[in-house]
Amino acid sequence: MCIRDRGKVSVRDGITETHDTGTEANVDFLYEHYIGGSRTFIAASNSELFDLTSMTNRDSTTDGTTANHLIEAGVDFAAAGVTTDSYVINDTDGTYASVTAVAVGDLTLDADIMVSGEDYRVTTPLATGLNSDTWDAVAFDGDLMLVNDNASDPIYSWDGSTLTNETANYTGIADAKVWSGVAEFKERLFFWTGRDQDFWYMDAAKAKTGAVNQFSLSRVNQFGGVLIDAHPWTVDGGEGMDDYMVFLMSSGEVVVYQGVDPGNAVEWGLVGIFKVAEPMGGVRAMANVGGDLHLICRADIIPMSVIFQQGYTGTNSKISGAIRFQSASFASSYGWAIHLHPEGNMLIINHPISGGHNQYVMNTVTGAWARFVGLNARCWGVYNSLMHMGGTDGRVHKLDGESDNGTAITCNVVQAWTDLGNPHEKHPTLAKPIMSGTGAFNYEYKVGFDFVTAIPDSATEVASTGTAWGSPWGSPWSASTNVSTEWRGSSGKGQFINISMNLAALQAISWLRTDLRGNLTTNL
């Protein structure tokens, strides 16, 4: 479940499939280019870059259950067993067309079954034959600048319609392909390789190509490691004179500078050097949240304001134990990343697990934390103000809706332990979890005692039935909202108590509070 609002715990948003690259491979990069009123959405999968913008949502398909599929232009259909009289695809202007008169399983192309009634589109990737799908990007002067963590892939700029190879347009470096990260600070681009302690910066402000200068952090580096990420820190939440540039080393060293031109000692000065646990996530290890900059390391998620004011003295966030546990086995695994979802009031920490990925999610309004499971996200990116995730099958989903592509969202939630304000043993005989949801719903719960959490039975699927406003005739305008206030039996004794709950949701459901009855105030 997800703590999304004050005073209640709600089922997390579901996911809805929006795009299919047709690669059947990992989608390891998503980024929105938003200039003026134009938005484009870039993805990387199977050593290719795609513009997903022209792809429509899954809801536009004939059967309403399958997303649009991409088929690369130039594919030899005959060799793939596809005959001209068994499909209808407009490969002239790239528009969608339905495959007709085709039985399921009759046609297979790139391991993707072409099914009658579903939509397909012939497409040409923006770039092919690349060596890695792990990109870093930053918006700059109307363009999106992209660099890759593989030292042999080009430096690109994307203006919303054309992808341009800019690799040869830099001087001052032997081969710009070695760059793995890019950032903007004070109208100037910064680059780094992820393999040494240096960064490069544009000689001229406001220039996206041209002469670059090299700056070595080895002169101030105290703990070794290589530069893996750099990020501006706008202390007051907006660009101003008090902004800092934060450089993060693989050793956990954090080097902070202030100024506008690293080539001018008067206009560029060292602010401080700090040490934290070793970071995870590479170029995705830091994210701005309001007026602060958060970084993810082996021990915790740490705000720069805390590091800056107090230094690193230990961990104190609510999920520090969870992060330490995961990093003990998966610190070097792919998938660690920190992303801000402004519209959803979420800070998402993506982390690897055995065979996939889960997420720790903070409500940026309340500071409360939750864990998302069942979302095997390789990467995240905001598009049209909604968070999207890249999967392992070439497909992209948006974090929106009340189910996971029609599958119920399984929820497990445990309340904090409490002694109800008195030290005596309690014996609750009845419990009333107060729940609200659209339509009828069911759940399983149990009361635990003295730090032994009781595990409820298997999650019960929530029924999405009911009538609007509880009226006997229903309503065509809105779904019903029901509030469950049923008292249920409880047994057991203890000084401290908590309640755990399981359910499987196909609709919006919130846990508002829990009432208890029984002997709760005296020693039994």
Side-chain angles (χ1 to χ4, degrees):
M1 301 188 84
C2 176
I3 303 175
R4 298 190 297 183
D5 301 291
R6 296 179 185 274
K8 64 181 179 180
V9 180
S10 302
V11 176
R12 68 160 170 80
D13 288 331
I15 56 172
T16 302
E17 187 179 314
T18 57
H19 307 93
D20 182 4
T21 65
T23 64
E24 302 290 341
N26 294 331
V27 178
D28 284 338
F29 175 75
L30 292 170
Y31 210 96
E32 180 186 56
H33 176 262
Y34 187 14
I35 181 68
S38 175
R39 298 175 188 257
T40 56
F41 199 29
I42 305 300
S45 180
N46 198 39
S47 301
E48 298 171 324
L49 283 172
F50 295 89
D51 175 15
L52 302 180
T53 314
S54 60
M55 299 180 63
T56 56
N57 288 347
R58 57 181 282 156
D59 299 334
S60 69
T61 60
T62 304
D63 61 9
T65 59
T66 305
N68 293 301
H69 302 276
L70 285 179
I71 301 173
E72 288 185 21
V75 168
D76 187 345
F77 290 95
V82 182
T83 60
T84 56
D85 60 355
S86 63
Y87 70 94
V88 180
I89 295 179
N90 184 346
D91 59 1
T92 302
D93 58 12
T95 58
Y96 288 93
S98 293
V99 175
T100 58
V102 180
V104 175
D106 284 351
L107 300 176
T108 301
L109 186 63
D110 293 339
D112 197 6
I113 297 175
M114 300 175 68
V115 183
S116 179
E118 296 184 8
D119 291 340
Y120 294 78
R121 180 167 68 90
V122 176
T123 186
T124 301
L126 297 175
T128 62
L130 302 169
N131 295 283
S132 172
D133 293 317
T134 305
W135 293 82
D136 193 22
V138 68
F140 185 78
D141 196 25
D143 289 344
L144 191 65
M145 304 300 298
L146 299 106
V147 300
N148 194 286
D149 67 354
N150 187 287
S152 57
D153 283 336
I155 311 300
Y156 288 119
S157 66
W158 168 253
D159 64 4
S161 60
T162 302
L163 188 72
T164 303
N165 187 337
E166 305 283 9
T167 309
N169 297 326
Y170 295 95
T171 60
I173 185 169
D175 187 356
K177 289 180 180 179
V178 298
W179 291 332
S180 67
V182 59
E184 180 274 334
F185 182 67
K186 297 296 185 181
E187 300 183 328
R188 195 182 301 267
L189 286 175
F190 288 70
F191 304 92
W192 58 96
T193 70
R195 303 171 186 86
D196 52 42
Q197 299 179 346
D198 301 343
F199 67 83
W200 284 255
Y201 61 95
M202 297 302 302
D203 184 66
K206 302 182 181 181
K208 71 175 184 181
T209 59
V212 297
N213 299 309
Q214 187 174 0
F215 190 102
S216 180
L217 292 172
S218 62
R219 302 162 188 160
V220 297
N221 181 273
Q222 300 176 3
F223 300 97
V226 298
L227 175 60
I228 61 170
D229 199 8
H231 217 289
W233 175 23
T234 54
V235 178
D236 56 3
E239 189 169 348
M241 294 299 293
D242 55 352
D243 294 349
Y244 300 111
M245 188 61 170
V246 178
F247 299 95
L248 181 62
M249 312 297 289
S250 61
S251 61
E253 186 170 19
V254 183
V255 183
V256 182
Y257 277 90
Q258 188 176 35
V260 296
D261 183 2
N264 187 328
V266 177
E267 299 180 353
W268 186 256
L270 179 65
V271 175
I273 300 173
F274 310 91
K275 182 68 171 67
V276 300
E278 292 184 9
M280 300 176 295
V283 294
R284 300 172 185 173
M286 296 190 287
N288 287 109
V289 183
D292 215 333
L293 179 64
H294 288 62
L295 65 87
I296 179 73
C297 66
R298 285 176 178 256
D300 207 348
I301 174 175
I302 310 175
M304 268 304 302
S305 59
V306 173
I307 300 172
F308 196 75
Q309 296 171 11
Q310 307 173 13
Y312 178 70
T313 58
T315 59
N316 57 8
S317 82
K318 292 182 179 179
I319 63 163
S320 60
I323 290 178
R324 287 197 303 271
F325 178 81
Q326 291 301 132
S327 65
S329 300
F330 302 103
S332 59
S333 299
Y334 178 88
W336 286 100
I338 180 169
H339 296 275
L340 178 66
H341 179 18
E343 297 292 332
N345 296 326
M346 297 180 187
L347 183 67
I348 298 175
I349 296 178
N350 203 65
H351 69 85
I353 59 174
S354 179
H357 300 84
N358 283 339
Q359 298 78 37
Y360 299 120
V361 183
M362 184 184 78
N363 184 315
T364 56
V365 176
T366 66
W369 284 93
R371 184 180 65 157
F372 288 0
V373 298
L375 303 181
N376 189 10
R378 297 280 299 182
C379 66
W380 294 86
V382 174
Y383 177 55
N384 279 330
S385 299
L386 290 176
M387 185 62 84
H388 289 66
M389 55 168 272
T392 60
D393 56 0
R395 307 188 184 201
V396 177
H397 300 73
K398 64 180 178 180
L399 189 62
D400 189 41
E402 297 178 350
S403 70
D404 288 345
N405 289 323
T407 301
I409 301 170
T410 300
C411 303
N412 310 101
V413 59
V414 180
Q415 287 184 325
W417 290 99
T418 177
D419 64 359
L420 299 179
N422 72 79
H424 302 299
E425 187 176 67
K426 289 88 180 168
H427 182 197
T429 56
L430 294 171
K432 181 173 66 176
I434 300 179
M435 313 282 290
S436 68
T438 55
F441 53 86
N442 298 294
Y443 59 88
E444 300 293 338
Y445 85 97
K446 283 189 178 179
V447 180
F449 297 92
D450 292 339
F451 306 102
V452 178
T453 298
I455 306 300
D457 297 331
S458 299
T460 300
E461 185 168 311
V462 176
S464 57
T465 59
T467 56
W469 312 312
S471 64
W473 54 84
S475 167
W477 299 292
S478 68
S480 62
T481 299
N482 293 335
V483 177
S484 172
T485 58
E486 178 184 0
W487 286 99
R488 301 190 179 190
S490 173
S491 61
K493 300 178 182 180
Q495 179 183 354
F496 290 85
I497 63 175
N498 79 345
I499 295 180
S500 54
M501 182 180 300
N502 287 345
L503 59 86
L506 284 166
Q507 65 217 75
I509 299 174
S510 296
W511 186 0
L512 306 178
R513 55 181 273 184
T514 302
D515 293 342
L516 297 170
R517 283 181 178 174
N519 195 331
L520 306 175
T521 59
T522 60
N523 200 8
L524 299 179

